[in-house]
Amino acid sequence: MARRTTRGIKKSYVEAPIVFDDEDEPIPVTSKDSDDEDFAAPEPAQEEEDDKDEEADMADPTSEEDEAEDDEDDGDADGKKNDASSQPKKHRNTGAGMIQSRKGFHDIPHYPLETRIVTRVYAGPLRRYARYSALRDSMYGPEYNRIKIIWDLEMRWAEFPALPPRYLPHEPQGICPSPWLAPAFERTQEQNAARWYNNYYAKSPEVQQCHLLSSHEGEHLIPQAGGDLVTFIGPWDRQGEFRFAQGQSLPITASGLPTSTSEDQDKSSTGWMLDIGSIPLAMGWVPSLVNAKQVLAIASIPFADQEPRRQEDGADKHQDPGAMAEGCVQLWEFTPKEAGKTLARPSTTPARLIRTLCFSWGRPKRLQWCPVPFESVGSYGLLAILTGDGKARIIDVKKVEEGSAPVYEWVQSPVVTLGIDDDYNNKVTCLSWVNINRIALGHSDGSVTLWSIFPRKMLQRVGVHTTYVIDICSAYPSNPYLVASIPVGGCATLTDLSQPSSELTYFPVPAISFQPNMLCWNESMQGFMALYPSSTPNTTIAFLHHRFFCQARSICTGPNTITCISAGATHPFVLAGCADGSLFSCNALQKLFKQKGEPLQKIKVMEHEYRPIRRPELQGKDSSRPVRGAVRILQGFLPEPNDDPRTEKRKELDRKKKLERMKTASGKKKGRPRKNGGTVEDLHREAELDDKLASRVVTHEPLTRLTTIVWNPNMQYSCWAACAMASGIIRVMDLGVQ
């Protein structure tokens, strides 16, 4: 029996899922081995009329917050109470921990045949005004064991509104492996991967061709920054100036200063900061089941590739086909402390470059590791890379000897090259692993394909979209063949590749998306995190459950354009990066089950700002090495309400209108005139909300933005997160709290 008192009113968990009501019958709880032969369909319940148009609600990311507050303080100005007999009877809220009656679930209505009715709208059993118990039972029920799992997870992290806990899985509030999988699922997958790997190399031992390069040749193939980076880091009131050279790494304390210069008593490391000297586009942690050193793969491009083109420069070097023919992927190693009674912590050992994969297929655009570890066969794993020539390639990355110098490797031919060669100019645009030997690809013609790596074969090709597919994500490991995809123009779609002709759904609001790294799967919540699909620009992150993909729920709203999203593999905490360089974190599961009037929080983890050196006379006066720019990183922000500024603005206006009505009513009764104006606190609050709304359209320096974020998927390191900035800075942080 667990009692929860930290959120809203006190609630207790009830083991027996039985609801007694005057009109409803109790729900019998059947055993796991029982079948549904004796199940009798309930009579269709009378549907409530919607207060607002459903299609308009879907187009507005804040409509669900508005609907939840519509019934609050809606009395008339005279203070008269409405007659109870004239109000329609409402269903009783069964409370937390109770499963609602089956009369709460109604049959899906028939498809409307009248042409005047808009059919591109969701009309299923889950309503947008459903909250907490009704939402929980609809999304994760009606099976009692599934409802109990999500309830236990919500209770597990209820006291952590913004950052994940640094506790082991066996502790009540610790991170945990997926409860939706069978026990020992990871070990079984690793054994299957080793068996597949040995069988593959037994039949094709020389399929991947590569050779080593000298350090001079390898360093020449890495994108060069052309100068050092001046950084201002540390507490906001006493920041220090440090100069970062390309390839340099420093361990960072909790205050943000390097461990060697920090004045804090606690000089333990909380992460690293390094400069790769190029624009990072994609990152990925090597999956591992062993508590060893962590390896991060980084795909980057030179700054010159994204410089604005000017006509007065004459010949454009970007038009040269060989100018961007070479690319590389860097592998960096991070050493942890010895694991104690908590999760692994960063050490004071600087991060180091251990391997560089070089190739001539074009710039790397995306990369993703196979989610199954290959440690037992002496390999980091299979790395899928999307390159500039429009092909996806799989590379087997071998382990590096302990303490060895950086290895520079030229890959002539990969394990396999994937792409459609029969269609003209049909390129691969995104990729996502489905399992050990399956990978899903998105294409420029809008189709989604499923490939077998060995033997190489295209298993399926589904015409999901009609435009360029910008993002694709598989629901591995619990639902690997559920693949979500987002096009440049169109509707976000979820496809079941096991039955693609019949099992397909989409969010019924078309949107335009140009930004990658905006779609990810959260195993704990059994859904996808993505930018809220809307026909108008917005800065809201949405949660789309795989069973109700066509109805989104808002999770977090950023102050500026969202550029990247990442959800934890062993917890429901979400990181969101913005174009203004800010990084936010929040508890998505707590936000999903928010109750009316419950205050929720999010926190700004850090803020990055970049300024280039535009005048040549300022570049490296006091040093032989030039300076390419300056960076300032701020941290130590206080938590703030996890709400949309538009919703807060509407609430503030409603509150002021209510006060005006009360003053008018009291003035009429007492014969006094109504006073206008508000308090100083009200004026400051209104100005703050106006600033939040205005910040969404502010443009910033292009290299200020955050390009990609990734949580560490490994159990002991699941509180580690890597954040990449367009200025070339990579910051690895331990965000766990106690």
Side-chain angles (χ1 to χ4, degrees):
M1 180 73 67
R3 181 172 294 275
R4 172 180 166 198
T5 60
T6 57
R7 296 180 54 202
I9 61 174
K10 295 182 179 180
K11 297 169 286 186
S12 59
Y13 183 76
V14 181
E15 287 289 341
I18 300 178
V19 179
F20 294 97
D21 205 346
D22 297 334
E23 300 178 359
D24 300 339
E25 297 179 359
I27 303 175
V29 181
T30 59
S31 63
K32 295 182 179 179
D33 298 334
S34 62
D35 51 19
D36 295 333
E37 294 180 357
D38 299 331
F39 177 79
E43 298 179 0
Q46 184 178 1
E47 300 181 7
E48 297 181 357
E49 296 182 357
D50 296 341
D51 295 334
K52 297 182 179 181
D53 181 42
E54 192 76 16
E55 184 181 11
D57 292 343
M58 291 184 181
D60 187 5
T62 62
S63 59
E64 61 178 84
E65 300 290 343
D66 298 343
E67 284 192 41
E69 304 292 341
D70 280 344
D71 297 333
E72 184 178 2
D73 300 332
D74 56 351
D76 51 356
D78 298 335
K80 298 181 181 180
K81 296 183 179 180
N82 297 329
D83 188 6
S85 60
S86 63
Q87 299 295 328
K89 183 177 180 181
K90 297 183 179 180
H91 295 287
R92 182 175 64 87
N93 186 5
T94 57
M98 303 289 288
I99 300 180
Q100 290 189 337
S101 168
R102 278 179 181 156
K103 288 188 177 181
F105 299 95
H106 60 78
D107 297 334
I108 298 178
H110 297 288
Y111 190 85
L113 300 179
E114 300 183 13
T115 57
R116 62 184 180 86
I117 298 179
V118 178
T119 57
R120 197 173 64 187
V121 64
Y122 172 75
L126 181 62
R127 297 299 182 184
R128 292 190 59 81
Y129 51 77
R131 288 294 180 274
Y132 206 72
S133 58
L135 177 66
R136 178 200 62 203
D137 299 347
S138 298
M139 276 191 174
Y140 300 94
E143 298 86 355
Y144 170 67
N145 58 340
R146 294 181 61 88
I147 296 179
K148 186 178 184 303
I149 287 175
I150 196 64
W151 169 255
D152 291 341
L153 292 178
E154 202 269 342
M155 292 280 292
R156 190 180 188 94
W157 298 301
E159 297 182 0
F160 300 91
L163 296 173
R166 192 186 290 116
Y167 295 121
L168 296 174
H170 65 270
E171 300 185 51
Q173 295 179 326
I175 53 96
C176 66
S178 174
W180 311 101
L181 299 173
F185 174 82
E186 291 83 1
R187 290 294 180 185
T188 304
Q189 287 291 97
E190 185 182 22
Q191 294 173 3
N192 296 337
R195 192 181 304 111
W196 174 89
Y197 187 89
N198 294 329
N199 183 33
Y200 165 75
Y201 269 94
K203 296 184 178 180
S204 53
E206 301 295 336
V207 64
Q208 179 169 311
Q209 300 291 334
C210 56
H211 64 272
L212 299 180
L213 301 174
S214 64
S215 59
H216 176 73
E217 294 175 337
E219 292 174 357
H220 178 72
L221 294 174
I222 296 178
Q224 300 299 314
D228 295 347
L229 193 62
V230 178
T231 60
F232 298 91
I233 55 179
W236 65 273
D237 56 344
R238 49 187 178 91
Q239 285 195 317
E241 179 181 343
F242 300 89
R243 189 159 178 168
F244 268 82
Q246 182 174 356
Q248 183 180 357
S249 171
L250 289 177
I252 303 297
T253 62
S255 63
L257 293 171
T259 56
S260 58
T261 60
S262 177
E263 300 177 356
D264 300 337
Q265 295 181 357
D266 185 11
K267 293 190 177 183
S268 59
S269 174
T270 60
W272 297 269
M273 197 166 82
L274 56 104
D275 180 19
I276 63 172
S278 52
I279 303 178
L281 297 183
M283 295 188 300
W285 291 97
V286 173
S288 172
L289 296 180
V290 181
N291 299 331
K293 298 180 180 180
Q294 299 299 289
V295 177
L296 179 68
I298 304 173
S300 62
I301 61 174
F303 293 106
D305 289 2
Q306 293 189 358
E307 287 181 355
R309 306 177 184 179
R310 297 179 298 178
Q311 295 181 356
E312 57 268 20
D313 291 342
D316 191 356
K317 61 181 178 181
H318 297 277
Q319 300 296 331
D320 184 9
M324 295 185 289
E326 297 176 347
C328 71
V329 173
Q330 304 178 38
L331 273 67
W332 287 77
E333 183 183 72
F334 302 89
T335 304
K337 282 184 179 179
E338 294 183 1
K341 296 183 179 180
T342 61
L343 298 180
R345 301 288 299 273
S347 68
T348 56
T349 304
R352 70 185 190 96
L353 179 67
I354 59 173
R355 182 185 288 271
T356 302
L357 303 174
C358 306
F359 42 80
S360 59
W361 311 315
R363 305 292 195 219
K365 296 182 177 180
R366 312 280 183 91
L367 65 79
Q368 188 177 9
W369 290 96
C370 177
V372 183
F374 285 83
E375 296 170 323
S376 59
V377 294
S379 173
Y380 285 126
L382 299 180
L383 181 62
I385 303 176
L386 175 62
T387 53
D389 60 353
K391 303 290 184 181
R393 291 173 173 85
I394 311 298
I395 299 177
D396 180 18
V397 184
K398 301 294 184 180
K399 281 189 174 182
V400 178
E401 296 182 2
E402 188 72 20
S404 61
V407 176
Y408 300 93
E409 186 176 8
W410 181 267
V411 183
Q412 295 174 332
S413 62
V415 171
V416 66
T417 302
L418 305 177
I420 302 177
D421 300 327
D422 299 336
D423 294 355
Y424 173 73
N425 202 25
N426 189 0
K427 298 183 178 181
V428 179
T429 57
C430 49
L431 51 86
S432 178
W433 286 91
V434 175
N435 58 26
I436 302 171
N437 194 32
R438 298 288 186 271
I439 189 170
L441 305 178
H443 297 268
S444 57
D445 65 345
S447 61
V448 173
T449 57
L450 179 65
W451 292 79
S452 169
I453 298 174
F454 179 76
R456 181 189 182 276
K457 185 177 182 181
M458 184 173 65
L459 304 177
Q460 289 181 3
R461 185 180 182 184
V462 186
V464 180
H465 306 285
T466 58
T467 60
Y468 189 104
V469 182
I470 192 69
D471 252 330
I472 189 172
C473 182
S474 169
Y476 181 89
S478 56
N479 301 279
Y481 286 96
L482 293 181
V483 175
S485 54
I486 297 178
V488 169
C491 300
T493 305
L494 179 64
T495 308
D496 186 356
L497 294 182
S498 61
Q499 296 178 350
S501 60
S502 58
E503 298 297 330
L504 185 144
T505 185
Y506 60 91
F507 190 85
V509 175
I512 297 177
S513 303
F514 296 105
Q515 183 66 36
N517 301 324
M518 298 289 290
L519 179 65
C520 60
W521 167 258
N522 184 256
E523 180 66 19
S524 301
M525 299 177 62
Q526 293 286 285
F528 297 90
M529 300 292 174
L531 185 67
Y532 203 110
S534 175
S535 56
T536 58
N538 70 91
T539 61
T540 301
I541 298 174
F543 170 73
L544 300 99
H545 193 270
H546 76 278
R547 294 172 61 179
F548 295 93
F549 189 82
C550 47
Q551 186 180 121
R553 300 275 169 163
S554 64
I555 297 299
C556 178
T557 301
N560 203 265
T561 304
I562 304 293
T563 56
C564 48
I565 303 173
S566 179
T570 60
H571 53 74
F573 292 87
V574 177
L575 290 174
C578 303
D580 62 351
S582 58
L583 175 65
F584 284 86
S585 175
C586 71
N587 187 339
L589 187 58
Q590 193 179 71
K591 176 67 173 179
L592 178 65
F593 292 132
K594 174 186 177 182
Q595 299 190 73
K596 187 175 182 180
E598 179 182 8
L600 297 182
Q601 292 180 336
K602 62 184 177 182
I603 189 171
K604 182 189 288 188
V605 179
M606 53 162 280
E607 183 177 285
H608 165 259
E609 185 179 3
Y610 173 81
R611 288 292 182 269
I613 301 296
R614 302 189 183 278
R615 289 187 293 175
E617 62 270 14
L618 298 179
Q619 297 189 11
K621 266 190 173 183
D622 302 332
S623 177
S624 59
R625 293 178 301 178
V627 176
R628 71 175 189 267
V631 162
R632 181 179 66 177
I633 296 180
L634 298 176
Q635 62 183 46
F637 296 91
L638 295 175
E640 56 186 86
N642 186 11
D643 205 348
D644 193 295
R646 289 177 292 179
T647 303
E648 296 181 29
K649 182 72 173 180
R650 188 193 63 82
K651 292 179 182 179
E652 185 70 17
L653 294 177
D654 292 345
R655 189 184 65 83
K656 295 178 66 175
K657 290 180 181 179
K658 181 182 177 181
L659 292 176
E660 292 292 336
R661 290 196 300 265
M662 293 175 61
K663 290 180 180 179
T664 303
S666 61
K668 289 181 179 179
K669 291 181 180 180
K670 298 181 180 180
R672 292 179 297 181
R674 178 172 57 90
K675 296 182 180 180
N676 295 325
T679 62
V680 178
E681 291 78 5
D682 294 339
L683 297 177
H684 286 321
R685 176 61 177 167
E686 188 173 355
E688 181 181 355
L689 294 177
D690 292 338
D691 291 341
K692 287 184 178 180
L693 292 173
S695 66
R696 302 190 308 161
V697 296
V698 175
T699 58
H700 298 268
E701 184 71 29
L703 298 185
T704 296
R705 72 187 188 276
L706 304 186
T707 56
T708 179
I709 313 168
V710 58
W711 283 104
N712 194 320
N714 303 322
M715 182 68 63
Q716 290 291 333
Y717 308 87
S718 55
C719 291
W720 290 17
C723 177
M725 307 157 214
S727 61
I729 294 292
I730 305 291
R731 186 160 184 177
V732 177
M733 302 167 288
D734 182 8
L735 299 179
V737 296
Q738 290 179 339

